[in-house]
Amino acid sequence: MDSSKIFPFPLGSVDDSDFLLAQTLYRWAETELVSKRLEFREDYVKLLLPAMKKLFVDVELQKMTWPESCGGIGLNRREIAHTLVMALEQVGRADCGIGYLLAVTLTLCSSINFEYNRKEDLCQRIAPFFCQSDQPVIGSLVLPSYAMDNYPAVTTFFRGKALPAVARYDNDNLVINGQEMRPLNSGRDASFFGVLCSLEAEDGPVLILVPGDSPGLIRDEPFLKTGLAASNNADITLNDVIVPRENIIFSGEDCLSHMLSWFYLNISAVSMGSLFAVFEIIREWGDTRVIKGKGNLFKENPLTASVMAEIGHDIMLSRLLLYQLAAMFISPDSYSHIERENLYVPALSVVSHITQTAEKVMNQAMELMGSAGYATEWNLERYWRDLKTIQVHLGSWELNKMDLARYFYNSQKL
Amino acid sequence: MPSIDDFTRPKEYISPIDDYFGKIVRQWADKEVIPYRQRYDEDWQEHRLIEPAFDKLMGELGLQRVLFPEDLGGWGLGHSHYTASASFRLMEEVARADSGIAVAFGVTFWPLIMICNEPHLNRRLCEEFAPLFCNTNKAVFAANAMTEPQGGADIENMEIIKGSTIETTAVLDGDDWIINGHKLWPTNSGGVCSLFGVVCTTRPGSKDLNDFAFIFVPADRPGVTQGNSYQKAGMAADKNSDVWFDHVRVPKYYRACGPGDDYKYFKEVISFGNLGSIAFVCGAMMNVFEILQNFCNSNLYRGLPVKEHDAVAAVLADLVKDIEIIRIIGYQYARMLDRPELYGPRWSDEIVAKGRAYKYFACDRAVEDLGRVMNLMESGGSDRARDLEKHWRDIKIVQLWMGGKQLCQMETARWFFDCKTL
């Protein structure tokens, strides 16, 4: 049962090819993940990696946003926002971790190949890795984080947090240094990292593309974490890593905000997919379990039905928000007070709302299921762990709210 | 800087052994558990890392003996005025290190409550089972086999169901009970249990309270089978599995309290389950406080420790406010269980309902607080090395067991509003 068909969204915003892609991804999920989940659980090698290979390579999602001239599929305009959302919903429904990797990878790629920041030279050099490889090519991002109390003197701060790395020019190259940085994902096996750096003579943050095989890039051992088993994550260190100057993807706050806006849209869609999965689990529970003795189905009890109703209600409203956000990306001119740089605020608002709603929904669903809620066999707890892990990677809500306050109230000192 | 010992304890009525218990368990926790607990999740089947910690706590320190009478090798806690408040401190300290260990340790007392506590102490069964727990330096586990496949924790919804959905049967055959049935989820199953307390019926479908039976079944009896451990979101130290009883024969006197009284005193087991749950939540939150203190001092935002940011400080305040309240509630409930002459019997509907209310209040607050704290710590919140996410997973489990939130809500409403059909 594909629950994504139950929750309304604007049909006029998608076309037949979007539906076709969603159907393909639904079949991929059933064949590669759902049917094997009981046997392999979260096994990276036996389950997740083969499923990623199918998705990234065979279904060609890693070629999606690269220009046709570079061997890609050419979906590199803002008009594909709804296509991306539909696709990521399906992947997130199947596995949040794979959805998250795809979301980050597409974000990094879009910062190079989307119209808002098209880098022709980088496209020509990097696209072949994504478009010609027979293995998944994973992108990752290293974003600002809290500084430690022993932070190096050279540290530069961006909106209160430390930029993870420092770059300097060396003739036609850049030399980058950063110690024990935590990427958003896949520190062990990402092929490319977008590392946010401080760079001499640049005021704002600079995103630099660092190939995973660069000399001086050291990957730590993978660390254990709450969820997202598909992300084989580890801290990385850059010791005098040298890349061409042309690996600068962008500099300045505007482009960073724009990239983050796409990231938030993608993550919203993945989280939405996880909500569909949770809905399917709880619907089956309501159809089959009894309460207060024989014959009283769970869904027919007023209390449990009311909690289930809240779950449906929250999912429905979240989806409407998600598609509304995608529409803003497609035609910002159609919305009052929405300009290119301002997409960041609605995107941050929507992703925060959807991930927080998802946390609430999953908590409620687990409450309804009692012990089955935390049993691996029922899968619900996996979505709960995955979603929470995604949420913490968005940054602290308390501090993200400062961005919203700056926008809405013109706060100057936050 | 304040520490976890600066959260309020009701000093005017805590047990004289409260500090002693606290001290020895904290030493055990800091030495035997906390250095190793990050690897417990991968040890969920074998318990190679976990087992030594259990042996130290329950066997060598002897804490598995505390309920039994002194002359049988126990510590006599079952007939003291501090059974509950001392238990609360014990469980809180263990849960600070690992709430999975705390539940496995605490549930060992669960069936024993039926026979070790006054006024329903069953001397004959105490004599029967005390050597199992008191004459060894190894951890020995007991379990309550309650939940069944057909209705989950419905069995615990005793006021409305009255045992009528129980499908595990006990049939008298001469001087023996013959037990047949299939149970799910007992803590301390999965092969580690030595003694089960089995909730069963002597007449399937009956709502006659005399037919509700609580019968002890040693796990090595022919016909008892413990399945493989379930894999769960957390609490690796707590093994759960299916358990089958296939024509298991035990002596007639293994019934804990007898017709009517089994039902009555089983509700006391529920009360202690609620108390334990609050203690587990409180202990885990103590450790969360310690973790967060460290995090907020060593991580900087705008050049200052994170704790100096006003919006962050509000989250920190919410956390400690809830810890303070949960601990006070926990001790208050323990006091209510310890002083039935003031508050009524531990098995009364009132005490059970109030315990349910306290339990779900504590769990709801903790689940929300830990979610916010994880979020505050950003990627560190989901990093196992920080130890925080473990508590987040474990606390959710505490919220869900014993019938989950909805059963707590119904029992609470039922007593306070005199509902007849909930």
Side-chain angles (χ1 to χ4, degrees), chain A residues 158-177:
Chain A
F158 175 69
R159 292 182 187 166
K161 291 186 181 176
L163 289 178
V166 178
R168 61 180 166 79
Y169 290 111
D170 182 22
N171 297 320
D172 290 337
N173 292 323
L174 296 162
V175 181
I176 313 170
N177 281 282

Side-chain angles (χ1 to χ4, degrees), chain A residues 294, chain B residues 145-146 148 150 155 158 161-172 177-183 197-217 245 248 255 258-260 262-263 266:
Chain A
K294 294 174 182 173
Chain B
M146 304 187 294
E148 296 187 345
Q150 72 282 357
I155 281 171
M158 295 173 68
I161 301 293
K162 298 185 190 303
S164 62
T165 62
I166 299 170
E167 293 190 354
T168 300
T169 56
V171 177
L172 266 181
W177 291 107
I178 310 292
I179 314 280
N180 279 287
H182 177 197
K183 297 289 188 180
V198 184
V199 171
C200 41
T201 180
T202 56
R203 200 154 55 99
S206 168
K207 286 194 172 185
D208 184 340
L209 304 183
N210 291 318
D211 294 323
F212 179 97
F214 190 93
I215 299 174
F216 283 90
V217 176
F245 301 95
V248 180
R255 184 167 183 173
D262 278 349
Y263 175 84
F266 182 71

